Structures are given as C-alpha cells and as structure tokens.
Amino acid sequence: MAYLLKHPDDYTSALHRSEELKTLAEPYLTMRSQIPSGMELSADYEERRRHILHSFSATQTEWEDWHWQMKHRVTDVDTLAQLLPLEASELDVIAKTAQNYRWAVSPYYLSLIDSTNPLDPIRLQALPSLPELDDNFGEDDPMGEALTSPAPCITRRYPDRLIINVTNMCAMYCRHCQRRRNIGETDRHEPKNQLKSALEYIRNNPEIRDVLITGGDALLLSDQTLNWLLAELHAIPHVEIKRIGTRVPVTLPMRITDELVHILANYPPIYINTQYNHPKEVTLASKKAIDRLITAGVVMGNQAVLLKGINNEPHVMKKLNQELLKIRVRPYYIFHAKNVKGTRHFVPRIQDGLAIMDQLRGQTSGLAIPTYILNAPKGGGKTPLLPQYLLHLKGNRAILRTWEGKIVDYTTP
Ligand SMILES: *Cc1c(COP(=O)(O)O)cnc(C)c1O
Ligand code: SF4
C-alpha cells in the first residue's frame, strides 16, 4: 500500500493546483449572484402577483387552476395596462406588432415579468416588440416541415422516430417561436380522426420505436384525449418509448395536476422535454410541477433555445443548467435559433453558442452540458456543433486541446 503514502511534495503541488482551480471558479461565482433566478425572485414579485390576482378579482384557488389561467391569458393591451405598469409608448409598440402576430401570455408567466426592466428575459419572450415586423429576414418554414409529412399530423425526418403534432395551442405564444407558421389565428386541437390516421401510420411502420407528441404544446390537450392517445401508443408493440414536448412546466405549471400525473404514470416509459431558456423561469411553482411529473416516473429533459439578449452568454447558460439539475431536469439540447420570419432580433451568432459550450465543458458538471444543435436548412436535420478539441488526427497520432486549452499529444498503439 506504499502508493497511499504521499510524499509531502505531492500535497504541495496538489494544493497549488487546487488554488489554481479555485481561481478558475471565481469569475462565475462573482457573476452568478447578479443573474436573476426564479428561486430568488425580487421582493416586489409577490406584490405584482397579488396585483394581477386582484385586477382579475380572482382567488388563489383560481390562480392554481390551469383552466382559469388559460381563460385569462392576456391578449390585449388594455388588460395588460391594468396588470403591469408599462409606458403608453410600450403599449403602442405591442398593439402595433399584434396587428401582424398574435400574442397571449398566461397570468402566471406574466407575473414573472420585471416591468421596470425593458430587457427582462421573461418580458422579451412574452411581449411583442417592433423588430418582429422586420420583414426582410427569414422564412415561415425554414425546416421544410411541410414536406416531411407522410400522414396527417406526422413529421418524419429520421429512420426510427417521428413527431405527432396534436395541437397548435400554447399557454403563451413565445416571441421567438420556431414554429410560428403553425400558430394560426385560432386555437385548434387536431380532430380525433386525424390522430387516428397518424396512429394507423405508426402501426403500419414497425421501425418507428420512438414517438414524440408535440404541437404547439402537447399538454394542452384534455386529460381525456391524452389518456386515449397514450393508451393507443402504449398498445403498439414496436413503440418502445413515448415522448412529450411541452412548455407548460415553464409557462403554466398548474397544468401538472394530480389527474394528469395519474394518467402519465400508466404508460411508461415517458420522456418529457420542456423549454426553460433562463434561470428566472426556474421558480418554486415550476419545481413543484417537475416534482409531480417525476413521481409519475417521467424522465425530464430541457431543450433551450439560444436567444440573443436572453441567454447567449456563458454564465447565464451555466446558471440555467445548474438550476435545472437542482430540480432534476437534465439539459438535453441547446438549439441555435432558426431563421424564422419575425425573430431576427433573437438570432445569435454561432460563435456565441460555441463560446458557451467551451465554457461549460470542464468548468461544470458534465450533467449540466447539453448538446448544441443547429438545424440544417431545408430539413437537413439536427446537426451538433462543438468547439474544436481534436486539432489534428493522422494515423495513430492525435493532437488534442484540453478543456483548459492545453495542447497535448496522444498516440494510439
Ligand atoms: C427533433 C426531432 C425528433 C427528435 O430528435 P432527437 O434528436 O431524437 O431528440 C424527431 N423527429 C423530428 C421530425 C424532429 O424534428
Ligand atoms: S411553447 Fe413552443 S410551440 Fe408554443 S409558442 Fe412557445 S416555442 Fe412556440
């Protein structure tokens, strides 16, 4: 056991190294406390929420009812003006943009807005702004999704899995939405006969082992329809896993009711991917929704969208991912925002995404590191992007760059 007896010099160098590592941790620790988080909302948050409740003459029980939240989604500036202290000019901008693009925000998500900060990350995602009217940019359907539907409601782009689009409804119409063209003027769930045709397609194609139910927001379906759809999928032997795409844990956490949890628990394995984009969205109410989903045996993941002015900064993305791990949501993807009409002001540079990935690897838990994905144009599919770590590879000799930027040689036998 002689190797356990360290020479005093070993401790000296290890201590020196740990001092070095401590220094590396410092810039983030300094920044972390300045990035707002949903678990430490500012003192006026509760006051704002009470004001919104009061303006609707609503009770706390109504607030916690997702049907009440949906019925009271804010969709016009007159109501908004009563709920948040915004300037007349700010309201004008919203009204003007709304002539081209609809908007709707759940009272819950609205209550997270800090209206004194025009750059509040919740506000930027929720309330319309003039740059949306910039018409000289992007397409309605940069993914070519319209061309990949072999059956009603289905998008198929990969060998063994596909998407069923069940609704175009969402609790909030995110200003950066990558599926804007689907979010029409009227809310619409897909009729049952369309869903039946989609199920028929899945039954007839045994290579489909993974079905992703999405929209819109899949969890805006009624409990009854969800129960029926999940049961139908569960009964197909080759469907090994079911996935649900939903933003309700972020925008409408009260949707995760006991009844819903009971339904989900009946059809394992279910994976739910949601979309948190900023640590401010990780609130206590949201955490409670995630806790309930996990009791149903659901495995949670996060698909953030990399958005200029919201999260295209390494410390913000690091804090987001660390906050997510604390509530048992595993960061899965960071999507580079697509060139969708009306969202130019959100589209970051690829360099931003690479800098974030570079500052995550090694600096924090591997669990907090998602895959950075750029969707290739024209439906080319998800394409991973990574900073360069393999600088050279020829025969058995590789030159690597470590997470700290050291250049090292590696030779295989
Ligand atoms: C994103 C996507 C999937 C799921 O892809 P994963 O990388 O497995 O998460 C499946 N089908 C379509 C059409 C998609 O766009
Ligand atoms: S929840 Fe998703 S689909 Fe709905 S508006 Fe937001 S980004 Fe778009």
Side-chain angles (χ1 to χ4, degrees), residues 84-156:
L84 289 184
L86 294 170
E87 308 277 334
S89 59
E90 296 176 306
L91 293 166
D92 286 349
V93 159
I94 295 169
K96 183 157 191 275
T97 315
Q99 291 170 0
N100 282 42
Y101 295 109
R102 77 187 299 202
W103 66 286
V105 189
S106 66
Y108 163 78
Y109 198 79
L110 199 75
S111 76
L112 302 177
I113 292 179
D114 171 4
S115 48
T116 62
N117 176 10
L119 301 178
D120 176 69
I122 304 289
R123 173 176 175 167
L124 292 177
Q125 292 181 70
L127 299 182
S129 65
L130 277 184
E132 292 181 38
L133 299 179
D134 177 350
D135 257 348
N136 300 316
F137 170 80
E139 303 165 58
D140 287 331
D141 179 19
M143 303 266 286
E145 281 190 337
L147 302 173
T148 50
S149 184
C153 315
I154 283 183
T155 307
R156 180 171 183 184

Coordinates of all heavy atoms in Angstrom, one line a residue, residues 84-156:
L84 N -49.7 45.4 -15.6 CA -48.2 45.8 -15.5 C -48.1 47.3 -15.7 O -48.8 47.9 -16.6 CB -47.4 45.1 -16.5 CG -47.1 43.6 -16.4 CD1 -46.2 43.2 -17.5 CD2 -46.6 43.2 -15.0
P85 N -47.3 48.0 -14.9 CA -47.1 49.5 -15.1 C -46.2 49.7 -16.3 O -45.0 50.0 -16.2 CB -46.4 49.9 -13.8 CG -45.8 48.7 -13.3 CD -46.5 47.5 -13.8
L86 N -46.8 49.7 -17.5 CA -46.0 50.0 -18.8 C -46.3 51.4 -19.3 O -47.4 51.9 -19.0 CB -46.3 48.9 -19.8 CG -45.9 47.5 -19.5 CD1 -46.5 46.5 -20.5 CD2 -44.4 47.3 -19.5
E87 N -45.3 51.9 -20.0 CA -45.5 53.3 -20.6 C -46.4 53.2 -21.8 O -46.5 52.1 -22.4 CB -44.1 53.8 -21.1 CG -43.0 53.8 -20.2 CD -43.0 55.0 -19.2 OE1 -43.6 56.0 -19.6 OE2 -42.5 54.9 -18.1
A88 N -47.1 54.3 -22.1 CA -48.0 54.3 -23.2 C -47.3 53.9 -24.5 O -47.8 53.2 -25.3 CB -48.6 55.7 -23.4
S89 N -46.0 54.4 -24.6 CA -45.3 54.1 -25.9 C -45.0 52.6 -25.9 O -45.0 52.0 -27.0 CB -44.0 54.9 -25.9 OG -43.2 54.5 -24.7
E90 N -44.8 51.9 -24.8 CA -44.5 50.5 -24.8 C -45.8 49.7 -25.2 O -45.7 48.7 -25.9 CB -44.0 50.0 -23.4 CG -42.7 50.7 -23.0 CD -42.3 50.3 -21.6 OE1 -43.1 50.5 -20.6 OE2 -41.2 49.8 -21.4
L91 N -46.9 50.2 -24.7 CA -48.2 49.6 -25.1 C -48.5 49.7 -26.6 O -49.0 48.8 -27.2 CB -49.3 50.1 -24.2 CG -49.2 49.8 -22.7 CD1 -50.2 50.7 -21.9 CD2 -49.5 48.3 -22.5
D92 N -48.1 50.9 -27.1 CA -48.3 51.2 -28.6 C -47.6 50.2 -29.4 O -48.1 49.7 -30.4 CB -47.9 52.6 -28.9 CG -48.9 53.7 -28.4 OD1 -50.0 53.3 -28.0 OD2 -48.5 54.8 -28.4
V93 N -46.3 49.9 -29.0 CA -45.5 49.0 -29.8 C -46.1 47.6 -29.8 O -46.2 46.9 -30.8 CB -44.1 48.9 -29.1 CG1 -43.4 47.7 -29.5 CG2 -43.3 50.2 -29.5
I94 N -46.7 47.2 -28.6 CA -47.3 45.9 -28.5 C -48.5 45.8 -29.4 O -48.7 44.9 -30.2 CB -47.6 45.6 -27.1 CG1 -46.3 45.5 -26.3 CG2 -48.4 44.3 -27.0 CD1 -46.5 45.4 -24.8
A95 N -49.3 46.9 -29.4 CA -50.5 46.9 -30.2 C -50.2 46.9 -31.7 O -50.8 46.2 -32.5 CB -51.4 48.1 -29.9
K96 N -49.1 47.6 -32.1 CA -48.8 47.7 -33.5 C -48.3 46.3 -34.0 O -48.7 45.8 -35.0 CB -47.7 48.7 -33.6 CG -47.2 49.0 -35.1 CD -46.6 50.3 -35.2 CE -46.4 50.7 -36.7 NZ -45.2 50.2 -37.3
T97 N -47.4 45.7 -33.2 CA -46.9 44.4 -33.6 C -48.0 43.3 -33.6 O -48.0 42.4 -34.5 CB -45.8 43.9 -32.6 OG1 -44.9 45.0 -32.3 CG2 -45.0 42.8 -33.1
A98 N -49.0 43.5 -32.7 CA -50.1 42.5 -32.7 C -50.9 42.5 -33.9 O -51.7 41.5 -34.2 CB -50.9 42.8 -31.4
Q99 N -50.8 43.6 -34.7 CA -51.6 43.5 -36.0 C -51.0 42.4 -36.9 O -51.8 41.9 -37.8 CB -51.5 44.9 -36.7 CG -52.3 46.0 -35.9 CD -52.0 47.4 -36.4 OE1 -51.3 47.6 -37.3 NE2 -52.7 48.3 -35.7
N100 N -49.8 42.1 -36.8 CA -49.2 41.1 -37.6 C -49.1 39.7 -37.0 O -49.2 38.7 -37.6 CB -47.8 41.4 -38.1 CG -47.8 42.5 -39.2 OD1 -48.6 43.4 -39.1 ND2 -46.9 42.3 -40.1
Y101 N -48.8 39.7 -35.7 CA -48.6 38.4 -34.9 C -49.4 38.4 -33.7 O -49.3 39.4 -32.9 CB -47.1 38.3 -34.6 CG -46.1 38.1 -35.7 CD1 -45.3 39.2 -36.1 CD2 -46.1 37.0 -36.5 CE1 -44.4 39.0 -37.2 CE2 -45.3 36.8 -37.6 CZ -44.4 37.9 -37.9 OH -43.5 37.7 -38.9
R102 N -50.1 37.4 -33.5 CA -50.9 37.3 -32.2 C -50.0 37.1 -31.0 O -48.8 36.7 -31.1 CB -51.8 36.1 -32.3 CG -51.1 34.8 -32.1 CD -52.0 33.5 -32.3 NE -53.1 33.5 -31.5 CZ -53.8 32.4 -31.2 NH1 -53.4 31.2 -31.7 NH2 -54.8 32.4 -30.4
W103 N -50.5 37.5 -29.9 CA -49.8 37.2 -28.6 C -50.7 36.8 -27.6 O -51.9 37.1 -27.6 CB -48.9 38.4 -28.2 CG -49.7 39.6 -27.8 CD1 -50.4 40.5 -28.7 CD2 -50.0 40.1 -26.5 NE1 -51.0 41.5 -28.0 CE2 -50.8 41.3 -26.6 CE3 -49.6 39.7 -25.2 CZ2 -51.2 42.0 -25.5 CZ3 -50.0 40.5 -24.1 CH2 -50.8 41.6 -24.3
A104 N -50.2 36.1 -26.6 CA -51.0 35.6 -25.5 C -50.0 35.2 -24.4 O -49.0 34.5 -24.7 CB -51.9 34.4 -25.9
V105 N -50.3 35.6 -23.1 CA -49.4 35.2 -22.0 C -50.3 34.8 -20.9 O -51.3 35.4 -20.5 CB -48.6 36.4 -21.6 CG1 -47.5 36.0 -20.5 CG2 -48.0 37.2 -22.7
S106 N -49.9 33.7 -20.2 CA -50.7 33.2 -19.1 C -50.4 34.2 -17.9 O -49.3 34.8 -17.8 CB -50.2 31.8 -18.6 OG -48.9 31.8 -18.2
P107 N -51.4 34.5 -17.1 CA -51.2 35.4 -15.9 C -50.0 34.9 -15.1 O -49.2 35.7 -14.6 CB -52.5 35.3 -15.1 CG -53.5 34.9 -16.1 CD -52.8 34.0 -17.1
Y108 N -49.8 33.6 -15.0 CA -48.6 33.1 -14.2 C -47.3 33.6 -14.8 O -46.5 34.2 -14.1 CB -48.6 31.6 -14.1 CG -47.2 31.0 -13.7 CD1 -46.9 31.1 -12.4 CD2 -46.3 30.6 -14.7 CE1 -45.6 30.6 -12.0 CE2 -45.0 30.2 -14.3 CZ -44.7 30.2 -13.0 OH -43.4 29.8 -12.6
Y109 N -47.1 33.4 -16.1 CA -45.9 33.8 -16.7 C -45.7 35.3 -16.7 O -44.6 35.8 -16.5 CB -45.8 33.3 -18.2 CG -44.4 33.3 -18.7 CD1 -43.5 32.2 -18.4 CD2 -43.9 34.3 -19.6 CE1 -42.2 32.2 -18.9 CE2 -42.6 34.3 -20.1 CZ -41.7 33.2 -19.7 OH -40.5 33.2 -20.2
L110 N -46.8 36.0 -16.9 CA -46.8 37.5 -16.8 C -46.3 38.0 -15.5 O -45.6 39.0 -15.4 CB -48.2 38.0 -17.1 CG -48.3 39.5 -17.5 CD1 -47.9 39.6 -19.0 CD2 -49.8 40.0 -17.4
S111 N -46.7 37.3 -14.4 CA -46.3 37.7 -13.1 C -44.8 37.6 -12.8 O -44.3 38.2 -11.9 CB -47.0 36.9 -12.0 OG -46.4 35.6 -11.9
L112 N -44.1 36.9 -13.7 CA -42.6 36.8 -13.5 C -41.9 38.0 -14.2 O -40.7 38.2 -14.0 CB -42.1 35.5 -14.1 CG -42.7 34.2 -13.6 CD1 -42.1 33.0 -14.4 CD2 -42.4 34.1 -12.1
I113 N -42.6 38.9 -14.9 CA -42.0 40.0 -15.6 C -41.6 41.1 -14.7 O -42.5 41.5 -13.9 CB -42.9 40.5 -16.7 CG1 -43.1 39.5 -17.8 CG2 -42.4 41.9 -17.3 CD1 -44.0 39.9 -18.9
D114 N -40.4 41.6 -14.8 CA -40.0 42.8 -14.1 C -40.2 43.9 -15.0 O -39.4 44.2 -15.9 CB -38.5 42.6 -13.7 CG -37.9 43.9 -13.1 OD1 -38.7 44.9 -13.0 OD2 -36.7 43.9 -12.8
S115 N -41.3 44.7 -14.8 CA -41.7 45.7 -15.8 C -40.8 46.9 -15.8 O -40.9 47.7 -16.7 CB -43.2 46.0 -15.7 OG -43.4 46.3 -14.3
T116 N -40.0 47.0 -14.7 CA -39.1 48.2 -14.7 C -37.8 47.9 -15.6 O -37.1 48.8 -15.9 CB -38.5 48.4 -13.3 OG1 -37.8 47.3 -12.9 CG2 -39.7 48.6 -12.3
N117 N -37.7 46.7 -16.1 CA -36.5 46.4 -16.9 C -37.0 46.0 -18.3 O -37.5 44.9 -18.6 CB -35.8 45.2 -16.3 CG -34.6 44.7 -17.1 OD1 -34.3 45.4 -18.1 ND2 -34.0 43.6 -16.8
P118 N -36.8 46.9 -19.3 CA -37.2 46.6 -20.7 C -36.5 45.4 -21.3 O -37.0 44.8 -22.2 CB -36.8 47.8 -21.5 CG -36.3 48.8 -20.5 CD -36.1 48.2 -19.2
L119 N -35.4 45.0 -20.7 CA -34.7 43.8 -21.2 C -34.9 42.6 -20.3 O -34.1 41.6 -20.4 CB -33.2 44.2 -21.3 CG -32.8 45.3 -22.2 CD1 -31.3 45.6 -22.1 CD2 -33.3 45.1 -23.6
D120 N -35.9 42.6 -19.5 CA -36.2 41.4 -18.7 C -36.4 40.2 -19.5 O -37.1 40.2 -20.5 CB -37.5 41.7 -17.9 CG -37.9 40.5 -17.0 OD1 -37.2 40.2 -16.1 OD2 -38.9 39.9 -17.4
P121 N -35.7 39.1 -19.2 CA -35.7 37.9 -20.1 C -37.1 37.3 -20.2 O -37.4 36.7 -21.3 CB -34.7 36.9 -19.5 CG -34.5 37.4 -18.1 CD -34.8 38.9 -18.1
I122 N -37.9 37.5 -19.2 CA -39.3 36.9 -19.3 C -40.1 37.8 -20.2 O -40.8 37.3 -21.1 CB -40.0 36.9 -17.9 CG1 -39.1 36.1 -16.9 CG2 -41.4 36.4 -17.9 CD1 -39.1 34.7 -17.1
R123 N -40.0 39.1 -20.1 CA -40.7 40.1 -20.9 C -40.3 39.9 -22.4 O -41.2 39.9 -23.3 CB -40.3 41.5 -20.5 CG -40.9 42.5 -21.4 CD -40.6 43.9 -20.9 NE -41.1 44.9 -21.8 CZ -41.2 46.2 -21.5 NH1 -40.9 46.6 -20.3 NH2 -41.6 47.0 -22.5
L124 N -39.0 39.7 -22.7 CA -38.6 39.6 -24.1 C -39.2 38.4 -24.7 O -39.5 38.4 -25.9 CB -37.1 39.5 -24.1 CG -36.3 40.7 -23.8 CD1 -34.8 40.5 -23.8 CD2 -36.6 41.9 -24.7
Q125 N -39.4 37.3 -23.9 CA -40.0 36.1 -24.5 C -41.5 36.2 -24.6 O -42.1 35.5 -25.4 CB -39.7 34.9 -23.6 CG -38.2 34.5 -23.6 CD -38.0 33.3 -22.8 OE1 -38.4 32.2 -23.1 NE2 -37.4 33.5 -21.6
A126 N -42.1 37.1 -23.8 CA -43.6 37.1 -23.7 C -44.3 38.2 -24.5 O -45.4 38.0 -25.1 CB -44.0 37.2 -22.3
L127 N -43.7 39.4 -24.5 CA -44.4 40.6 -25.1 C -43.9 41.0 -26.4 O -42.7 41.0 -26.6 CB -44.3 41.8 -24.1 CG -45.0 41.5 -22.7 CD1 -44.8 42.8 -21.9 CD2 -46.4 41.1 -22.8
P128 N -44.8 41.2 -27.4 CA -44.4 41.6 -28.7 C -43.5 42.9 -28.7 O -43.6 43.7 -27.9 CB -45.7 41.9 -29.5 CG -46.7 41.2 -28.7 CD -46.2 41.2 -27.3
S129 N -42.6 42.9 -29.7 CA -41.7 44.1 -29.9 C -41.5 44.4 -31.4 O -41.7 43.5 -32.2 CB -40.4 43.9 -29.2 OG -39.7 42.9 -29.9
L130 N -41.2 45.7 -31.7 CA -41.2 46.1 -33.1 C -40.3 45.3 -34.0 O -40.7 45.1 -35.2 CB -40.8 47.6 -33.1 CG -41.9 48.6 -32.8 CD1 -41.3 50.0 -33.0 CD2 -43.1 48.4 -33.8
P131 N -39.1 44.9 -33.6 CA -38.3 44.1 -34.5 C -39.0 42.9 -35.2 O -38.6 42.4 -36.2 CB -37.1 43.7 -33.7 CG -37.0 44.6 -32.5 CD -38.5 45.0 -32.3
E132 N -40.1 42.5 -34.5 CA -40.8 41.4 -35.2 C -41.3 41.7 -36.5 O -41.6 40.9 -37.4 CB -42.0 40.9 -34.3 CG -41.5 40.3 -33.0 CD -42.7 39.8 -32.1 OE1 -43.7 39.3 -32.6 OE2 -42.6 40.0 -30.9
L133 N -41.5 43.0 -36.8 CA -42.1 43.5 -38.0 C -41.1 43.6 -39.2 O -41.4 43.8 -40.3 CB -42.8 44.8 -37.8 CG -43.9 44.8 -36.8 CD1 -44.6 46.1 -36.7 CD2 -45.0 43.7 -37.2
D134 N -39.8 43.3 -38.8 CA -38.7 43.3 -39.8 C -39.0 42.1 -40.8 O -38.8 41.0 -40.5 CB -37.4 43.1 -39.1 CG -36.2 43.0 -40.1 OD1 -36.5 42.9 -41.4 OD2 -35.1 43.1 -39.7
D135 N -39.4 42.5 -42.0 CA -39.9 41.5 -43.0 C -38.7 41.0 -43.9 O -38.9 40.0 -44.6 CB -41.0 42.1 -43.9 CG -42.3 41.6 -43.4 OD1 -42.3 40.7 -42.6 OD2 -43.3 42.2 -43.9
N136 N -37.6 41.6 -43.8 CA -36.5 41.3 -44.8 C -35.6 40.1 -44.2 O -34.4 40.1 -44.4 CB -35.6 42.5 -45.1 CG -36.4 43.6 -45.7 OD1 -37.3 43.3 -46.5 ND2 -36.2 44.8 -45.2
F137 N -36.2 39.2 -43.5 CA -35.4 38.2 -42.9 C -36.2 36.9 -42.8 O -37.4 36.9 -42.4 CB -35.0 38.6 -41.5 CG -34.3 37.5 -40.7 CD1 -33.0 37.2 -40.9 CD2 -35.0 36.8 -39.8 CE1 -32.4 36.2 -40.2 CE2 -34.5 35.8 -39.0 CZ -33.1 35.5 -39.2
G138 N -35.6 35.8 -43.0 CA -36.1 34.5 -42.7 C -37.2 34.0 -43.5 O -37.7 34.6 -44.4
E139 N -37.7 32.8 -43.1 CA -38.7 32.1 -43.8 C -39.8 31.7 -42.8 O -39.5 31.7 -41.6 CB -38.2 30.9 -44.5 CG -37.1 31.1 -45.4 CD -36.4 29.8 -45.8 OE1 -37.0 28.9 -46.2 OE2 -35.2 29.7 -45.5
D140 N -41.0 31.4 -43.3 CA -42.0 30.9 -42.4 C -41.7 29.4 -41.9 O -42.0 29.0 -40.8 CB -43.4 30.9 -43.0 CG -43.9 32.3 -43.2 OD1 -43.5 33.1 -42.3 OD2 -44.6 32.6 -44.1
D141 N -41.1 28.7 -42.8 CA -40.9 27.3 -42.6 C -39.4 26.9 -43.0 O -39.2 26.1 -43.9 CB -41.9 26.5 -43.5 CG -41.7 25.0 -43.3 OD1 -41.1 24.5 -42.3 OD2 -42.2 24.2 -44.2
P142 N -38.4 27.4 -42.2 CA -37.0 27.1 -42.6 C -36.7 25.6 -42.5 O -35.7 25.2 -43.1 CB -36.2 27.9 -41.6 CG -37.1 28.2 -40.5 CD -38.5 28.2 -41.0
M143 N -37.5 24.9 -41.8 CA -37.2 23.5 -41.7 C -37.8 22.6 -42.8 O -37.6 21.4 -42.8 CB -37.7 23.0 -40.3 CG -37.3 23.7 -39.1 SD -35.9 22.9 -38.4 CE -36.8 21.5 -37.7
G144 N -38.5 23.2 -43.6 CA -39.2 22.4 -44.7 C -40.1 21.4 -44.1 O -40.2 20.3 -44.6
E145 N -40.7 21.7 -43.0 CA -41.6 20.7 -42.3 C -42.8 20.3 -43.1 O -43.2 19.2 -43.0 CB -42.0 21.2 -40.9 CG -41.0 21.1 -39.9 CD -41.4 21.4 -38.5 OE1 -42.5 22.1 -38.3 OE2 -40.8 21.0 -37.5
A146 N -43.2 21.3 -43.9 CA -44.4 21.0 -44.7 C -44.2 19.8 -45.6 O -45.1 19.1 -46.1 CB -44.8 22.2 -45.5
L147 N -42.9 19.5 -46.0 CA -42.6 18.5 -47.0 C -42.3 17.1 -46.3 O -41.9 16.2 -47.0 CB -41.4 18.9 -47.8 CG -41.5 20.2 -48.5 CD1 -40.2 20.6 -49.2 CD2 -42.6 20.1 -49.6
T148 N -42.4 17.0 -45.0 CA -42.0 15.8 -44.4 C -43.1 15.1 -43.7 O -42.9 14.4 -42.7 CB -40.8 16.1 -43.3 OG1 -41.3 17.1 -42.5 CG2 -39.5 16.4 -44.0
S149 N -44.3 15.3 -44.2 CA -45.5 14.7 -43.5 C -46.1 13.6 -44.3 O -46.9 13.8 -45.2 CB -46.5 15.8 -43.2 OG -47.6 15.2 -42.5
P150 N -45.8 12.3 -44.0 CA -46.3 11.2 -44.8 C -47.7 10.8 -44.4 O -48.4 10.0 -45.1 CB -45.4 10.0 -44.4 CG -44.9 10.4 -43.1 CD -44.9 11.9 -43.0
A151 N -48.2 11.4 -43.3 CA -49.6 11.1 -42.9 C -50.1 12.3 -42.0 O -49.3 13.1 -41.6 CB -49.6 9.8 -42.0
P152 N -51.4 12.4 -41.8 CA -51.9 13.5 -41.1 C -51.2 13.7 -39.7 O -50.9 12.7 -39.1 CB -53.4 13.2 -40.9 CG -53.7 12.3 -41.9 CD -52.5 11.5 -42.3
C153 N -50.9 14.9 -39.4 CA -50.3 15.3 -38.1 C -48.8 14.8 -37.9 O -48.2 15.1 -36.9 CB -51.1 14.7 -36.9 SG -52.8 14.9 -36.9
I154 N -48.3 14.1 -38.8 CA -47.0 13.5 -38.6 C -45.8 14.2 -39.3 O -46.0 14.7 -40.4 CB -47.0 12.0 -39.0 CG1 -47.7 11.2 -38.0 CG2 -45.6 11.4 -39.3 CD1 -47.7 9.7 -38.2
T155 N -44.7 14.4 -38.6 CA -43.5 14.9 -39.3 C -42.5 13.8 -39.1 O -42.2 13.4 -37.9 CB -42.9 16.2 -38.6 OG1 -44.0 17.1 -38.6 CG2 -41.8 16.7 -39.4
R156 N -41.9 13.3 -40.2 CA -41.0 12.2 -40.1 C -39.7 12.6 -40.8 O -39.7 12.9 -42.0 CB -41.5 10.9 -40.7 CG -40.5 9.8 -40.6 CD -41.0 8.5 -41.0 NE -39.9 7.5 -40.7 CZ -40.0 6.2 -41.1 NH1 -41.1 5.7 -41.6 NH2 -39.0 5.4 -40.8

